[in-house]
Amino acid sequence: MKFYSIAIDGPAGSGKSTIAKSVAKGLEFIYIDTGAMYRAITLKALELNIRNLADETLYDFILDTKLEFVNDLMFMDGKDVSKEIRSEEVVKNVSLVSSLKYVRDILVEKQREMAKTNNVVMDGRDIGTNVLKDASLKIFLTAAIDVRALRRFYELQESGSSMSYDDVVADVMRRDNFDTNRLNNPLRQAEDAILIDNSELTIEETAQKIMHLFKEKNLWQI
Ligand code: DC
Protein backbone atom coordinates (compact mmCIF):
# COMPACT_ATOMS: atom_id res chain seq x y z
CA MET A 1 0.00 0.00 0.00
CA LYS A 2 1.29 3.46 -0.89
CA PHE A 3 1.39 6.07 1.84
CA TYR A 4 1.50 9.78 1.12
CA SER A 5 3.51 12.38 2.98
CA ILE A 6 3.56 16.15 3.01
CA ALA A 7 6.71 17.76 4.39
CA ILE A 8 6.38 21.30 5.74
CA ASP A 9 9.53 23.08 6.87
CA GLY A 10 10.10 26.63 7.91
CA PRO A 11 11.31 28.96 10.65
CA ALA A 12 9.65 29.56 14.03
CA GLY A 13 6.37 31.45 13.77
CA SER A 14 5.79 30.69 10.10
CA GLY A 15 2.50 29.08 11.10
CA LYS A 16 3.71 25.56 10.30
CA SER A 17 1.93 23.68 13.06
CA THR A 18 -1.47 25.34 12.70
CA ILE A 19 -1.36 25.04 8.94
CA ALA A 20 -0.05 21.46 8.97
CA LYS A 21 -2.82 20.52 11.41
CA SER A 22 -5.44 22.05 9.14
CA VAL A 23 -4.03 20.27 6.05
CA ALA A 24 -3.95 16.95 7.94
CA LYS A 25 -7.57 17.41 8.98
CA GLY A 26 -8.64 18.32 5.45
CA LEU A 27 -6.96 15.28 3.90
CA GLU A 28 -7.56 12.94 6.86
CA PHE A 29 -3.84 12.41 7.30
CA ILE A 30 -1.99 12.08 10.60
CA TYR A 31 -0.23 15.24 11.78
CA ILE A 32 3.28 14.80 13.14
CA ASP A 33 4.76 17.80 14.91
CA THR A 34 8.48 16.97 15.02
CA GLY A 35 9.24 20.16 16.98
CA ALA A 36 7.02 18.76 19.74
CA MET A 37 9.20 15.64 19.82
CA TYR A 38 12.39 17.69 20.35
CA ARG A 39 10.55 19.72 22.97
CA ALA A 40 9.38 16.57 24.79
CA ILE A 41 12.94 15.22 25.03
CA THR A 42 14.06 18.63 26.32
CA LEU A 43 11.27 18.57 28.91
CA LYS A 44 12.24 15.10 30.08
CA ALA A 45 15.88 16.13 30.43
CA LEU A 46 14.85 19.19 32.46
CA GLU A 47 12.49 17.16 34.66
CA LEU A 48 15.21 14.63 35.36
CA ASN A 49 17.66 17.47 35.94
CA ILE A 50 20.04 16.11 33.35
CA ARG A 51 22.56 18.83 32.67
CA ASN A 52 24.97 17.15 30.33
CA LEU A 53 22.82 16.10 27.40
CA ALA A 54 25.80 16.24 25.10
CA ASP A 55 27.00 13.04 26.72
CA GLU A 56 26.06 10.19 24.40
CA THR A 57 25.53 7.80 27.29
CA LEU A 58 22.04 9.33 27.37
CA TYR A 59 21.34 7.59 24.08
CA ASP A 60 19.28 4.88 25.77
CA PHE A 61 17.30 7.39 27.81
CA ILE A 62 16.07 9.00 24.59
CA LEU A 63 15.65 5.72 22.73
CA ASP A 64 13.44 4.41 25.53
CA THR A 65 11.25 7.51 25.67
CA LYS A 66 7.84 6.71 24.22
CA LEU A 67 6.58 9.53 22.00
CA GLU A 68 3.08 9.39 20.50
CA PHE A 69 0.54 11.73 18.96
CA VAL A 70 -3.05 11.20 20.02
CA ASN A 71 -5.61 13.63 18.53
CA ASP A 72 -2.83 16.15 17.90
CA LEU A 73 -1.69 15.96 21.53
CA MET A 74 1.90 15.04 22.41
CA PHE A 75 2.16 12.10 24.78
CA MET A 76 5.49 11.31 26.40
CA ASP A 77 5.76 8.01 28.25
CA GLY A 78 1.95 7.84 28.32
CA LYS A 79 1.45 11.38 29.70
CA ASP A 80 -0.05 14.34 27.84
CA VAL A 81 2.73 16.97 27.83
CA SER A 82 1.25 19.24 25.14
CA LYS A 83 1.16 22.24 27.50
CA GLU A 84 4.45 21.73 29.33
CA ILE A 85 6.48 21.52 26.13
CA ARG A 86 5.47 25.14 25.32
CA SER A 87 6.98 26.54 28.56
CA GLU A 88 9.68 29.21 28.47
CA GLU A 89 12.21 26.86 30.04
CA VAL A 90 11.73 24.30 27.29
CA VAL A 91 11.90 27.02 24.61
CA LYS A 92 15.21 28.22 26.06
CA ASN A 93 16.81 24.78 25.91
CA VAL A 94 15.30 23.10 22.88
CA SER A 95 17.62 24.61 20.25
CA LEU A 96 20.62 23.12 21.98
CA VAL A 97 19.01 19.72 22.46
CA SER A 98 17.84 19.60 18.84
CA SER A 99 21.32 20.46 17.58
CA LEU A 100 22.84 17.25 19.00
CA LYS A 101 23.48 14.65 16.31
CA TYR A 102 22.61 11.59 18.35
CA VAL A 103 19.33 13.14 19.52
CA ARG A 104 18.42 13.86 15.90
CA ASP A 105 19.41 10.39 14.73
CA ILE A 106 17.01 8.76 17.18
CA LEU A 107 14.11 11.13 16.62
CA VAL A 108 14.49 11.08 12.82
CA GLU A 109 14.26 7.30 12.93
CA LYS A 110 11.06 7.50 15.01
CA GLN A 111 9.63 10.03 12.53
CA ARG A 112 10.42 7.84 9.51
CA GLU A 113 8.77 4.86 11.24
CA MET A 114 5.57 6.89 11.71
CA ALA A 115 5.49 7.82 8.01
CA LYS A 116 6.03 4.23 6.86
CA THR A 117 2.56 3.09 7.88
CA ASN A 118 0.43 6.26 7.70
CA ASN A 119 -0.44 9.12 5.40
CA VAL A 120 1.22 12.02 7.19
CA VAL A 121 1.66 15.74 7.26
CA MET A 122 4.96 16.30 9.04
CA ASP A 123 6.35 19.69 9.99
CA GLY A 124 9.77 20.70 11.24
CA ARG A 125 13.08 22.05 9.96
CA ASP A 126 14.65 19.13 8.10
CA ILE A 127 11.67 17.11 6.87
CA GLY A 128 12.08 17.82 3.16
CA THR A 129 15.88 17.79 3.22
CA ASN A 130 16.43 14.79 5.46
CA VAL A 131 13.58 12.95 7.21
CA LEU A 132 11.30 12.38 4.21
CA LYS A 133 13.47 13.04 1.17
CA ASP A 134 10.87 11.33 -1.02
CA ALA A 135 7.85 13.17 0.37
CA SER A 136 4.86 13.40 -1.99
CA LEU A 137 4.94 17.19 -1.58
CA LYS A 138 7.48 19.52 0.06
CA ILE A 139 6.60 23.00 1.26
CA PHE A 140 8.95 25.63 2.65
CA LEU A 141 6.80 27.99 4.65
CA THR A 142 7.94 31.41 5.73
CA ALA A 143 6.69 34.88 6.71
CA ALA A 144 8.26 38.26 7.49
CA ILE A 145 10.12 38.39 10.82
CA ASP A 146 7.73 40.92 12.41
CA VAL A 147 4.73 38.78 11.43
CA ARG A 148 6.35 35.65 12.84
CA ALA A 149 7.35 37.38 16.08
CA LEU A 150 3.83 38.73 16.59
CA ARG A 151 2.35 35.24 16.12
CA ARG A 152 4.76 33.84 18.72
CA PHE A 153 4.00 36.74 21.05
CA TYR A 154 0.25 35.98 20.99
CA GLU A 155 0.91 32.25 21.39
CA LEU A 156 3.10 32.89 24.45
CA GLN A 157 0.56 35.31 25.94
CA GLU A 158 -2.09 32.65 25.62
CA SER A 159 0.07 30.23 27.57
CA GLY A 160 0.41 32.83 30.35
CA SER A 161 3.89 34.13 29.52
CA SER A 162 4.72 37.78 30.25
CA MET A 163 7.56 37.98 27.71
CA SER A 164 7.66 41.39 25.97
CA TYR A 165 7.25 41.71 22.20
CA ASP A 166 10.86 42.92 21.84
CA ASP A 167 12.11 39.88 23.74
CA VAL A 168 10.04 37.64 21.49
CA VAL A 169 11.58 39.25 18.36
CA ALA A 170 15.05 38.70 19.82
CA ASP A 171 14.19 35.10 20.68
CA VAL A 172 12.79 34.33 17.21
CA MET A 173 15.92 35.83 15.62
CA ARG A 174 18.18 33.87 17.94
CA ARG A 175 16.37 30.64 17.09
CA ASP A 176 16.41 31.38 13.33
CA ASN A 177 20.12 31.94 13.56
CA PHE A 178 20.74 28.80 15.61
CA ASP A 179 18.50 26.53 13.49
CA THR A 180 19.92 27.81 10.19
CA ASN A 181 23.57 27.71 11.14
CA ARG A 182 23.82 24.50 13.15
CA LEU A 183 25.97 21.71 11.79
CA ASN A 184 23.43 18.87 11.89
CA ASN A 185 20.48 19.08 9.47
CA PRO A 186 20.14 22.88 9.54
CA LEU A 187 16.95 24.60 8.43
CA ARG A 188 17.14 24.80 4.63
CA GLN A 189 14.68 24.82 1.77
CA ALA A 190 14.90 21.51 -0.14
CA GLU A 191 15.62 21.99 -3.85
CA ASP A 192 12.28 20.45 -4.78
CA ALA A 193 10.27 22.30 -2.12
CA ILE A 194 7.69 24.93 -3.02
CA LEU A 195 8.21 28.25 -1.23
CA ILE A 196 5.14 29.85 0.33
CA ASP A 197 5.41 33.24 2.07
CA ASN A 198 2.22 33.49 4.12
CA SER A 199 2.80 36.97 5.65
CA GLU A 200 -0.38 38.14 4.00
CA LEU A 201 -2.34 34.90 3.86
CA THR A 202 -4.67 33.51 6.49
CA ILE A 203 -4.16 30.04 7.97
CA GLU A 204 -7.10 28.76 5.94
CA GLU A 205 -5.83 30.27 2.66
CA THR A 206 -2.39 28.76 3.19
CA ALA A 207 -3.83 25.34 4.07
CA GLN A 208 -6.09 25.40 1.01
CA LYS A 209 -3.14 26.28 -1.20
CA ILE A 210 -1.11 23.34 0.14
CA MET A 211 -4.01 20.89 -0.28
CA HIS A 212 -4.52 22.11 -3.81
CA LEU A 213 -0.81 21.65 -4.61
CA PHE A 214 -0.89 18.17 -3.13
CA LYS A 215 -3.96 17.05 -5.07
CA GLU A 216 -2.57 18.50 -8.28
CA LYS A 217 0.85 16.91 -7.88
CA ASN A 218 -0.37 13.50 -6.74
CA LEU A 219 -3.40 13.25 -8.97
CA TRP A 220 -5.36 12.80 -5.77
CA GLN A 221 -8.87 11.50 -6.27
CA ILE A 222 -11.57 12.85 -4.01
O1 DC B 1 8.81 24.08 15.60
P1 DC B 1 9.14 24.21 17.08
O2 DC B 1 9.31 25.63 17.54
O3 DC B 1 8.20 23.47 17.97
O4 DC B 1 10.57 23.50 17.24
C1 DC B 1 11.22 23.42 18.48
C2 DC B 1 12.73 23.34 18.26
O5 DC B 1 13.08 22.10 17.68
C3 DC B 1 13.32 24.44 17.39
O6 DC B 1 14.40 25.04 18.07
C4 DC B 1 13.81 23.75 16.17
C5 DC B 1 13.91 22.31 16.56
N1 DC B 1 13.48 21.41 15.50
C6 DC B 1 14.44 20.80 14.73
O7 DC B 1 15.62 21.03 14.94
N2 DC B 1 14.09 19.90 13.79
C7 DC B 1 12.81 19.62 13.55
N3 DC B 1 12.50 18.74 12.60
C8 DC B 1 11.80 20.26 14.29
C9 DC B 1 12.18 21.17 15.28
mmCIF file of all heavy atoms in Angstrom, residues 12 16-17 33-36 38-39 86 94-95 98 104 111 123-127 152 175 179 182, ligand 1:
data_model
loop_
_atom_site.group_PDB
_atom_site.id
_atom_site.type_symbol
_atom_site.label_atom_id
_atom_site.label_comp_id
_atom_site.label_asym_id
_atom_site.label_seq_id
_atom_site.Cartn_x
_atom_site.Cartn_y
_atom_site.Cartn_z
ATOM 1 N N ALA A 12 10.605 29.388 12.927
ATOM 2 C CA ALA A 12 9.653 29.564 14.029
ATOM 3 C C ALA A 12 8.662 30.671 13.682
ATOM 4 O O ALA A 12 9.043 31.712 13.158
ATOM 5 C CB ALA A 12 10.404 29.932 15.310
ATOM 6 N N LYS A 16 3.616 26.977 10.709
ATOM 7 C CA LYS A 16 3.710 25.563 10.304
ATOM 8 C C LYS A 16 2.710 24.656 11.005
ATOM 9 O O LYS A 16 1.949 23.957 10.339
ATOM 10 C CB LYS A 16 5.106 25.004 10.623
ATOM 11 C CG LYS A 16 6.196 25.410 9.724
ATOM 12 C CD LYS A 16 7.478 24.668 10.046
ATOM 13 C CE LYS A 16 7.868 24.618 11.495
ATOM 14 N NZ LYS A 16 8.387 25.811 12.126
ATOM 15 N N SER A 17 2.736 24.670 12.338
ATOM 16 C CA SER A 17 1.926 23.685 13.061
ATOM 17 C C SER A 17 0.435 23.879 12.801
ATOM 18 O O SER A 17 -0.269 22.898 12.531
ATOM 19 C CB SER A 17 2.145 23.734 14.575
ATOM 20 O OG SER A 17 3.370 24.261 14.877
ATOM 21 N N ASP A 33 4.077 16.558 14.545
ATOM 22 C CA ASP A 33 4.757 17.800 14.907
ATOM 23 C C ASP A 33 6.147 17.421 15.442
ATOM 24 O O ASP A 33 6.290 17.086 16.614
ATOM 25 C CB ASP A 33 3.895 18.485 15.983
ATOM 26 C CG ASP A 33 4.522 19.745 16.531
ATOM 27 O OD1 ASP A 33 5.675 20.056 16.170
ATOM 28 O OD2 ASP A 33 3.857 20.419 17.331
ATOM 29 N N THR A 34 7.156 17.459 14.574
ATOM 30 C CA THR A 34 8.479 16.974 15.018
ATOM 31 C C THR A 34 9.107 17.916 16.042
ATOM 32 O O THR A 34 9.882 17.485 16.885
ATOM 33 C CB THR A 34 9.441 16.768 13.825
ATOM 34 O OG1 THR A 34 9.642 18.016 13.164
ATOM 35 C CG2 THR A 34 8.916 15.744 12.852
ATOM 36 N N GLY A 35 8.746 19.215 15.975
ATOM 37 C CA GLY A 35 9.243 20.161 16.982
ATOM 38 C C GLY A 35 8.798 19.731 18.368
ATOM 39 O O GLY A 35 9.553 19.830 19.344
ATOM 40 N N ALA A 36 7.558 19.214 18.456
ATOM 41 C CA ALA A 36 7.022 18.760 19.743
ATOM 42 C C ALA A 36 7.848 17.595 20.285
ATOM 43 O O ALA A 36 8.020 17.440 21.499
ATOM 44 C CB ALA A 36 5.561 18.355 19.589
ATOM 45 N N TYR A 38 11.156 17.123 19.776
ATOM 46 C CA TYR A 38 12.390 17.695 20.351
ATOM 47 C C TYR A 38 12.094 18.394 21.672
ATOM 48 O O TYR A 38 12.886 18.338 22.616
ATOM 49 C CB TYR A 38 13.050 18.665 19.354
ATOM 50 C CG TYR A 38 13.651 17.933 18.174
ATOM 51 C CD1 TYR A 38 12.970 17.833 16.969
ATOM 52 C CD2 TYR A 38 14.885 17.291 18.289
ATOM 53 C CE1 TYR A 38 13.491 17.125 15.895
ATOM 54 C CE2 TYR A 38 15.420 16.585 17.227
ATOM 55 C CZ TYR A 38 14.715 16.507 16.036
ATOM 56 O OH TYR A 38 15.240 15.793 14.984
ATOM 57 N N ARG A 39 10.928 19.041 21.734
ATOM 58 C CA ARG A 39 10.545 19.720 22.970
ATOM 59 C C ARG A 39 10.311 18.708 24.099
ATOM 60 O O ARG A 39 10.666 18.957 25.254
ATOM 61 C CB ARG A 39 9.259 20.520 22.745
ATOM 62 C CG ARG A 39 9.466 21.790 21.941
ATOM 63 C CD ARG A 39 8.133 22.351 21.492
ATOM 64 N NE ARG A 39 8.271 23.536 20.676
ATOM 65 C CZ ARG A 39 8.131 24.781 21.124
ATOM 66 N NH1 ARG A 39 7.850 24.982 22.386
ATOM 67 N NH2 ARG A 39 8.278 25.813 20.316
ATOM 68 N N ARG A 86 5.512 23.753 25.835
ATOM 69 C CA ARG A 86 5.470 25.143 25.320
ATOM 70 C C ARG A 86 6.020 26.120 26.357
ATOM 71 O O ARG A 86 5.970 27.323 26.150
ATOM 72 C CB ARG A 86 4.031 25.565 24.963
ATOM 73 C CG ARG A 86 3.323 24.627 24.023
ATOM 74 C CD ARG A 86 3.676 24.864 22.565
ATOM 75 N NE ARG A 86 3.508 23.632 21.826
ATOM 76 C CZ ARG A 86 4.110 23.340 20.687
ATOM 77 N NH1 ARG A 86 4.942 24.195 20.137
ATOM 78 N NH2 ARG A 86 3.922 22.195 20.091
ATOM 79 N N VAL A 94 15.568 24.051 23.964
ATOM 80 C CA VAL A 94 15.300 23.097 22.879
ATOM 81 C C VAL A 94 16.241 23.235 21.677
ATOM 82 O O VAL A 94 16.572 22.243 21.029
ATOM 83 C CB VAL A 94 13.811 23.145 22.455
ATOM 84 C CG1 VAL A 94 13.447 24.451 21.783
ATOM 85 C CG2 VAL A 94 13.454 21.984 21.552
ATOM 86 N N SER A 95 16.716 24.449 21.403
ATOM 87 C CA SER A 95 17.619 24.614 20.255
ATOM 88 C C SER A 95 18.889 23.796 20.461
ATOM 89 O O SER A 95 19.371 23.130 19.544
ATOM 90 C CB SER A 95 18.009 26.078 20.051
ATOM 91 O OG SER A 95 16.937 26.788 19.539
ATOM 92 N N SER A 98 18.121 20.038 20.216
ATOM 93 C CA SER A 98 17.843 19.597 18.842
ATOM 94 C C SER A 98 19.054 19.746 17.921
ATOM 95 O O SER A 98 19.000 19.337 16.774
ATOM 96 C CB SER A 98 16.635 20.347 18.271
ATOM 97 O OG SER A 98 16.897 21.725 18.213
ATOM 98 N N ARG A 104 19.086 13.792 17.210
ATOM 99 C CA ARG A 104 18.423 13.860 15.903
ATOM 100 C C ARG A 104 18.327 12.472 15.270
ATOM 101 O O ARG A 104 17.304 12.108 14.709
ATOM 102 C CB ARG A 104 19.162 14.804 14.944
ATOM 103 C CG ARG A 104 19.315 16.213 15.452
ATOM 104 C CD ARG A 104 19.600 17.187 14.320
ATOM 105 N NE ARG A 104 18.447 17.364 13.471
ATOM 106 C CZ ARG A 104 17.430 18.166 13.733
ATOM 107 N NH1 ARG A 104 17.432 18.903 14.809
ATOM 108 N NH2 ARG A 104 16.400 18.241 12.910
ATOM 109 N N GLN A 111 10.508 9.308 13.465
ATOM 110 C CA GLN A 111 9.627 10.032 12.525
ATOM 111 C C GLN A 111 9.437 9.234 11.238
ATOM 112 O O GLN A 111 8.326 9.129 10.712
ATOM 113 C CB GLN A 111 10.240 11.417 12.222
ATOM 114 C CG GLN A 111 10.195 12.356 13.422
ATOM 115 C CD GLN A 111 11.294 13.414 13.442
ATOM 116 O OE1 GLN A 111 11.971 13.633 12.445
ATOM 117 N NE2 GLN A 111 11.470 14.061 14.589
ATOM 118 N N ASP A 123 5.698 18.376 10.049
ATOM 119 C CA ASP A 123 6.351 19.688 9.985
ATOM 120 C C ASP A 123 7.588 19.724 10.864
ATOM 121 O O ASP A 123 7.720 18.950 11.813
ATOM 122 C CB ASP A 123 5.358 20.814 10.297
ATOM 123 C CG ASP A 123 5.095 20.983 11.777
ATOM 124 O OD1 ASP A 123 5.453 20.094 12.554
ATOM 125 O OD2 ASP A 123 4.528 22.021 12.146
ATOM 126 N N GLY A 124 8.527 20.596 10.480
ATOM 127 C CA GLY A 124 9.775 20.704 11.235
ATOM 128 C C GLY A 124 10.756 21.636 10.559
ATOM 129 O O GLY A 124 10.380 22.697 10.042
ATOM 130 N N ARG A 125 12.025 21.235 10.575
ATOM 131 C CA ARG A 125 13.083 22.051 9.959
ATOM 132 C C ARG A 125 13.814 21.282 8.868
ATOM 133 O O ARG A 125 14.364 21.857 7.949
ATOM 134 C CB ARG A 125 14.131 22.460 11.023
ATOM 135 C CG ARG A 125 13.593 23.197 12.216
ATOM 136 C CD ARG A 125 13.074 24.567 11.830
ATOM 137 N NE ARG A 125 12.753 25.404 12.989
ATOM 138 C CZ ARG A 125 11.686 25.259 13.773
ATOM 139 N NH1 ARG A 125 10.824 24.305 13.536
ATOM 140 N NH2 ARG A 125 11.461 26.082 14.783
ATOM 141 N N ASP A 126 13.828 19.953 8.999
ATOM 142 C CA ASP A 126 14.646 19.128 8.103
ATOM 143 C C ASP A 126 13.821 18.007 7.475
ATOM 144 O O ASP A 126 14.354 16.959 7.120
ATOM 145 C CB ASP A 126 15.796 18.498 8.905
ATOM 146 C CG ASP A 126 15.282 17.601 10.017
ATOM 147 O OD1 ASP A 126 14.141 17.813 10.483
ATOM 148 O OD2 ASP A 126 15.997 16.676 10.415
ATOM 149 N N ILE A 127 12.515 18.203 7.363
ATOM 150 C CA ILE A 127 11.671 17.106 6.873
ATOM 151 C C ILE A 127 11.925 16.877 5.376
ATOM 152 O O ILE A 127 12.197 15.755 4.949
ATOM 153 C CB ILE A 127 10.159 17.359 7.167
ATOM 154 C CG1 ILE A 127 9.949 17.803 8.619
ATOM 155 C CG2 ILE A 127 9.343 16.119 6.838
ATOM 156 C CD1 ILE A 127 10.491 16.867 9.675
ATOM 157 N N ARG A 152 4.166 34.477 17.534
ATOM 158 C CA ARG A 152 4.762 33.839 18.715
ATOM 159 C C ARG A 152 4.341 34.558 19.981
ATOM 160 O O ARG A 152 4.049 33.955 21.010
ATOM 161 C CB ARG A 152 6.303 33.872 18.624
ATOM 162 C CG ARG A 152 6.907 32.684 17.972
ATOM 163 C CD ARG A 152 6.800 31.441 18.862
ATOM 164 N NE ARG A 152 7.519 30.324 18.273
ATOM 165 C CZ ARG A 152 7.052 29.096 18.149
ATOM 166 N NH1 ARG A 152 5.853 28.804 18.572
ATOM 167 N NH2 ARG A 152 7.786 28.146 17.623
ATOM 168 N N ARG A 175 16.666 32.015 17.490
ATOM 169 C CA ARG A 175 16.365 30.638 17.088
ATOM 170 C C ARG A 175 16.566 30.435 15.585
ATOM 171 O O ARG A 175 17.068 29.413 15.144
ATOM 172 C CB ARG A 175 14.939 30.266 17.506
ATOM 173 C CG ARG A 175 14.854 30.070 19.002
ATOM 174 C CD ARG A 175 13.962 28.935 19.356
ATOM 175 N NE ARG A 175 12.566 29.309 19.207
ATOM 176 C CZ ARG A 175 11.615 28.422 18.915
ATOM 177 N NH1 ARG A 175 11.919 27.166 18.694
ATOM 178 N NH2 ARG A 175 10.373 28.804 18.841
ATOM 179 N N ASP A 179 19.027 27.636 14.306
ATOM 180 C CA ASP A 179 18.502 26.532 13.492
ATOM 181 C C ASP A 179 19.109 26.519 12.083
ATOM 182 O O ASP A 179 19.292 25.466 11.475
ATOM 183 C CB ASP A 179 16.964 26.628 13.367
ATOM 184 C CG ASP A 179 16.258 26.408 14.706
ATOM 185 O OD1 ASP A 179 16.891 25.877 15.628
ATOM 186 O OD2 ASP A 179 15.068 26.769 14.822
ATOM 187 N N ARG A 182 23.269 25.673 12.437
ATOM 188 C CA ARG A 182 23.822 24.503 13.151
ATOM 189 C C ARG A 182 24.387 23.503 12.133
ATOM 190 O O ARG A 182 24.014 23.495 10.945
ATOM 191 C CB ARG A 182 22.752 23.859 14.040
ATOM 192 C CG ARG A 182 21.684 23.198 13.247
ATOM 193 C CD ARG A 182 20.766 22.372 14.113
ATOM 194 N NE ARG A 182 19.754 21.806 13.268
ATOM 195 C CZ ARG A 182 18.451 21.841 13.514
ATOM 196 N NH1 ARG A 182 18.000 22.405 14.599
ATOM 197 N NH2 ARG A 182 17.609 21.292 12.672
HETATM 198 O O1 DC B 1 8.808 24.083 15.600
HETATM 199 P P1 DC B 1 9.143 24.207 17.085
HETATM 200 O O2 DC B 1 9.310 25.632 17.538
HETATM 201 O O3 DC B 1 8.195 23.465 17.967
HETATM 202 O O4 DC B 1 10.570 23.503 17.245
HETATM 203 C C1 DC B 1 11.215 23.416 18.480
HETATM 204 C C2 DC B 1 12.732 23.340 18.265
HETATM 205 O O5 DC B 1 13.083 22.104 17.676
HETATM 206 C C3 DC B 1 13.315 24.443 17.391
HETATM 207 O O6 DC B 1 14.399 25.044 18.071
HETATM 208 C C4 DC B 1 13.813 23.751 16.173
HETATM 209 C C5 DC B 1 13.911 22.306 16.556
HETATM 210 N N1 DC B 1 13.480 21.408 15.496
HETATM 211 C C6 DC B 1 14.438 20.797 14.735
HETATM 212 O O7 DC B 1 15.616 21.033 14.942
HETATM 213 N N2 DC B 1 14.085 19.901 13.787
HETATM 214 C C7 DC B 1 12.813 19.624 13.547
HETATM 215 N N3 DC B 1 12.501 18.740 12.603
HETATM 216 C C8 DC B 1 11.799 20.262 14.293
HETATM 217 C C9 DC B 1 12.178 21.171 15.279
#
